[in-house]
Amino acid sequence: MPKNTVTAPLAPMEPDDVAAAFAYIRAMQADDIDTACAVADDTGPELHRLLVDVAARVFIPITAEDDCDGEPCAHSFLTAALGRLLLELLCHGVCLAGARNVARTIILFTENILTEDNGDVADVLRQLGTAGMKQAMEAHPAHRPTA
């Protein structure tokens, strides 16, 4: 069976990139199209890449379980493969490749996988954004976000 670990750790995002990506995701989750459009306009074509970077940071830790009670099992390989497939679709799939669809996929993943029953999706997205910003600031301590 193939190993399913992520072979290279994800490099921390820049603080401005984290701020822009999560501002867009939170605006989409709140159905605030005006704010989402403003963020998209400010960020430009780079927004899609930023959202895919966020998706990788959300999906991979959840789907890349390496073992079951210390031993690799079929389930762990399957979840890792599904996580990689979802990221591949977000990068190259025609129907999911737009920034709006990547953000919606992150929101749906958060709603269906990361929140408890009747959980607050907006709160989980805020927590994810805060964690991403903390990692970015630790990696780039002299950089302060402008967004």
Side-chain angles (χ1 to χ4, degrees):
M1 287 205 286
K3 261 187 117 171
N4 73 347
T5 52
V6 177
T7 56
L10 297 168
M13 294 174 69
E14 293 284 335
D16 284 342
D17 295 346
V18 173
F22 277 97
Y24 184 82
I25 294 166
R26 286 191 309 270
M28 291 298 293
Q29 194 270 330
D31 290 325
D32 183 353
I33 301 305
D34 291 338
T35 300
C37 288
V39 171
D41 288 345
D42 289 345
T43 307
E46 196 68 6
L47 181 60
H48 179 262
R49 183 192 60 78
L50 299 180
L51 292 171
V52 171
D53 283 353
V54 167
R57 286 159 176 73
V58 173
F59 301 162
I60 295 299
I62 301 303
T63 61
E65 294 297 323
D66 282 338
D67 58 57
C68 298
D69 296 325
E71 296 296 322
C73 64
H75 175 263
S76 60
F77 294 109
L78 176 61
T79 59
L82 288 172
R84 287 191 305 272
L85 176 62
L86 184 53
L87 285 174
E88 185 69 22
L89 286 171
L90 292 177
C91 290
H92 304 293
V94 174
C95 63
L96 292 178
R100 180 184 190 123
N101 292 326
V102 175
R104 290 278 182 219
T105 302
I106 293 167
I107 293 163
L108 288 171
F109 186 89
T110 302
E111 181 178 347
N112 290 297
I113 306 295
L114 300 179
T115 57
E116 299 294 325
D117 293 332
N118 300 317
D120 184 357
V121 174
D123 184 50
V124 174
L125 290 171
R126 274 191 296 281
Q127 291 174 33
L128 290 169
T130 299
M133 185 59 74
K134 180 180 179 207
Q135 181 188 38
M137 293 304 292
E138 287 171 356
H140 309 282
H143 189 139
R144 296 284 180 233
T146 58

